[in-house]
Amino acid sequence: MNCSNRLARVSACPLCSCVPRNERVTRQALLPPRAGHRATSYLCFTMQEILNYIGGTLAPARSGAWLDGFAPAEGRVFARIADSGPEDVELAVAAAEKAGPAWVALGRQGRHDALMRVAALVERDLDGFARAESRDNGKPVHLAMEVDIPRAIANLRFFATAILHQESAAHITDDQAVNYTDRQPVGVAGCISPWNLPLYLFTWKIAPALAAGCTVVAKPSEITPLTSMMLAERCMEAGLPPGVLNIVQGTGPKVGAAITAHPSIPAISFTGGTATGARIAAVAAPMFKKLSLELGGKNPVLVFADCDFEEMLKETVRSSFSNQGQICLCGSRILVERSLYPRFKEAFVQRVKALRVGDPAVASTDIGAVVSEAHLHKVLNHVALAKEEGGAVLCGGHRVELDGPLAGGWFIAPTVIEGLGPGCRTNQEEIFGPVVTIQPFDTEEEAVQAANGTRYGLASVLWTSNGSRMHRLARLMKSGIVWVNCWMLRDLRTPFGGMKHSGVGREGGMEALNFFTEARNVCIKL
Ligand code: NAD
């Protein structure tokens, strides 16, 4: 445990897959040892309690009710989560309203400093955060260590700094008047986030809201709440004023719905499924709330014969299966120019078969567990549907059963399917798991039509070395993000969001700061 190599330090319990306990990280109650275990220094001996963070203190739900928290790689309960309700949301809103004026009065520099202190503490405890994220979500520890937690830290730092650089416009109306734009925080912001990139997306919302001067009532996914509670502990340690950030744990229908409908929350920033987004919009729109909705996707990857084959292959494996395919930006429909199709198919399937499905705590693991048993069945049902639709499974398509303590884990072999046209359900519905389809195309027009031929429009990926095609097709893609010869290359200043049923509004950079503020024009007659 004293090794300086971060990955080497993430050694799993020798008797089960779980990771070392980190006393500083969360509340833990000791459980009776599981059969055959002797050491007590691993998480397998602990039941973690995931509490609400309201008004600067950690507490269970007022009702005293709890939800089970599962470790996907083990397929068993390891935590209990405050099962909150509208009464807890009410407390959180009251705390946020009370904290609002002082948080605004702290000014940009003061808010910057507070967020930077929180970021530094998350960075200090990066290992513990990464292990916890992996345990809660099933993702490989190295992915959380290299992507999720560093990005959460970057989100906090980026928006803490961005607020120092926010400009406001002025317009001189000939010699009659001067207008200037005054931006004020909207008040209490509601932030609701999903399970796939838990801390990464949680901070992507709360950081701009807090930097802009809002106080926040936030709800992480009930499926992966652990790191939000760890963040709350770091906020307390950093001296974030009580009530500035409030985290209410619990389910969507109880907590998420209460946040959405609360009359004192004028802005809702939501990331999650399209159906949930529609439910939120139906409640929030008639209340004239500001709404930012980041929703599902069915992202196309267009591979042209003139691409850099090796680079494309490497990145397409990553864009298909990173985080078990559970990233809204993952490419799930791979369209390949026919002349390249046989070579692509052979090389791609060979690479995918070589991916290692296994213990998320092991550094060589490529594919961890999917997030829940329900999601495992949803993904496998989609594979069954693909077969019914006439698809051929080239590799994967089944559950992977591991030995020992991970025997109950929810693992799926990475799956490649061919033989399906663009209109079938498999190529229209979001699967959000380690499953992709491959399809040949003959012309650019056909590829564009297939790429744009779903109700979604989040991201698309183009692989070509033809410069004019890059620009031509980028403009034809009906998606909020177009990656050319890369994937998930992110600059936090850029607008982020989807078209069509993939969302409304944009996050990122000044777009996010603008969302959490209300612009007022002040016109002064000269
Ligand atoms: P989900 O819609 O089931 O849940 C998201 C959040 O909404 C959770 O916190 C949930 O508790 C809450 N919620 C559920 N019902 C609610 C209600 N009635 N009112 C208010 N809140 C409610 O989504 P998920 O399964 O957690 O996440 C997967 C989905 O998220 C996928 O569709 C994926 O594409 C999408 N996603 C989109 C982006 C993006 O940036 N566009 C990023 C990540 C994930």
Side-chain angles (χ1 to χ4, degrees):
M1 289 300 292
N2 293 326
C3 176
S4 60
N5 175 339
R6 272 187 177 159
L7 288 179
R9 267 197 279 162
V10 185
S11 53
C13 167
L15 292 163
C16 91
S17 64
C18 83
V19 294
R21 266 170 78 195
N22 182 344
E23 296 293 348
R24 199 164 55 194
V25 166
T26 47
R27 278 187 181 207
Q28 298 162 345
L30 282 181
L31 286 176
R34 295 169 72 202
H37 291 231
R38 265 164 292 149
T40 55
S41 57
Y42 291 95
L43 283 172
C44 47
F45 293 95
T46 62
M47 171 69 90
Q48 310 211 205
E49 280 190 351
I50 299 170
L51 304 172
N52 290 335
Y53 174 54
I54 297 176
T57 56
L58 295 168
R62 290 205 82 186
S63 66
W66 299 94
L67 297 164
D68 285 337
F70 290 87
E74 299 152 58
R76 70 181 186 96
V77 174
F78 81 108
R80 57 182 199 162
I81 305 159
D83 183 9
S84 313
E87 63 283 6
D88 300 285
V89 171
E90 205 58 61
L91 286 177
V93 173
E97 283 185 314
K98 190 171 166 208
W103 184 241
V104 174
L106 198 57
R108 288 156 198 267
Q109 189 65 49
R111 297 197 296 272
H112 160 273
D113 296 349
L115 290 174
M116 294 298 267
R117 286 198 300 277
V118 176
L121 294 176
V122 178
E123 189 170 53
R124 180 196 69 191
D125 299 335
L126 193 151
D127 290 10
F129 271 93
R131 287 198 297 269
E133 201 73 295
S134 166
R135 189 148 202 246
D136 209 14
N137 172 280
K139 67 179 66 206
V141 172
H142 65 81
L143 188 70
M145 195 97 84
E146 289 154 15
V147 178
D148 292 70
I149 309 304
R151 174 56 194 276
I153 297 164
N155 289 339
L156 291 164
R157 291 195 171 131
F158 175 82
F159 286 109
T161 312
I163 195 67
L164 300 178
H165 301 276
Q166 196 186 29
E167 294 179 343
S168 55
H171 301 88
I172 314 293
T173 311
D174 300 323
D175 54 359
Q176 299 172 51
V178 61
N179 295 270
Y180 66 88
T181 309
D182 174 39
R183 285 200 169 271
Q184 294 293 330
V186 292
V188 180
C191 298
I192 303 173
S193 54
W195 50 257
N196 63 323
L197 300 167
L199 193 68
Y200 174 137
L201 289 174
F202 190 73
T203 51
W204 183 235
K205 296 191 175 303
I206 63 162
L210 294 172
C214 293
T215 51
V216 171
V217 176
K219 191 198 99 59
S221 170
E222 65 274 30
I223 300 172
T224 54
L226 178 54
T227 49
S228 72
M229 155 124 168
M230 293 167 63
L231 182 74
E233 290 169 324
R234 302 307 174 282
C235 289
M236 293 163 79
E237 191 180 342
L240 193 75
V244 163
L245 172 64
N246 304 276
I247 302 174
V248 188
Q249 306 289 356
T251 66
K254 280 162 72 178
V255 177
I259 292 173
T260 305
H262 202 289
S264 300
I265 300 182
I268 303 288
S269 176
F270 169 79
T271 298
T274 295
T276 314
R279 275 196 288 277
I280 288 175
V283 174
M287 297 176 80
F288 306 109
K289 296 190 179 209
K290 287 187 98 175
L291 263 183
S292 169
L293 301 173
E294 300 295 339
L295 310 176
K298 188 74 182 174
N299 306 313
V301 177
L302 275 61
V303 179
F304 289 89
D306 62 4
C307 70
D308 175 339
F309 188 80
E310 284 308 318
E311 180 68 9
M312 175 279 299
L313 196 61
K314 176 167 71 72
E315 287 299 290
T316 303
V317 170
R318 203 169 70 86
S319 69
S320 303
F321 300 110
S322 188
N323 203 37
Q324 298 70 247
Q326 303 167 139
I327 300 180
C328 55
L329 305 166
C330 277
S332 58
R333 299 177 292 139
I334 306 173
L335 303 154
V336 186
E337 194 164 4
R338 196 174 296 277
S339 60
L340 189 69
Y341 189 81
R343 182 180 171 205
F344 173 82
K345 174 178 160 181
E346 190 186 346
F348 185 66
V349 170
Q350 194 183 20
R351 290 274 182 107
V352 175
K353 281 182 175 167
L355 292 173
R356 285 156 298 206
V357 180
D359 186 345
V362 171
S364 58
T365 293
D366 299 302
I367 309 275
V370 298
V371 77
S372 68
E373 190 168 18
H375 197 56
L376 173 109
H377 292 305
K378 180 194 156 190
V379 173
L380 292 178
N381 285 341
H382 269 287
V383 175
L385 172 68
K387 288 183 194 163
E388 276 170 34
E389 290 186 310
V393 175
L394 301 178
C395 62
H398 55 84
R399 184 172 181 171
V400 175
E401 311 256 355
L402 300 182
D403 292 333
L406 302 191
W410 302 314
F411 296 89
I412 298 177
T415 304
V416 181
I417 298 169
E418 76 163 351
L420 293 172
C424 67
R425 282 181 60 194
T426 304
N427 278 324
Q428 290 290 321
E429 296 175 11
E430 186 182 43
I431 300 174
F432 212 55
V435 178
V436 295
T437 63
I438 59 173
Q439 305 169 63
F441 67 83
D442 291 302
T443 64
E444 212 177 271
E445 294 68 32
E446 184 191 345
V448 171
Q449 198 176 11
N452 289 336
T454 74
R455 68 181 177 129
Y456 295 108
L458 186 54
S460 42
V461 185
L462 307 175
W463 288 97
T464 178
S465 59
N466 179 328
S468 66
R469 180 189 278 146
M470 290 176 198
H471 295 289
R472 189 171 58 246
L473 293 202
R475 298 191 70 185
L476 290 175
M477 289 294 115
K478 292 206 166 24
S479 62
I481 299 149
V482 182
W483 274 297
V484 182
N485 297 332
C486 60
W487 178 72
M488 275 283 268
L489 188 61
R490 292 281 291 120
D491 180 326
L492 303 190
R493 294 170 299 177
T494 58
F496 180 94
M499 296 182 181
K500 303 192 280 183
H501 288 209
S502 287
V504 176
R506 293 291 178 268
E507 298 185 324
M510 293 301 161
E511 304 259 4
L513 292 176
N514 288 347
F515 175 76
F516 290 110
T517 53
E518 197 76 76
R520 175 194 295 122
N521 185 62
V522 179
C523 176
I524 301 173
K525 191 166 186 293
L526 293 175

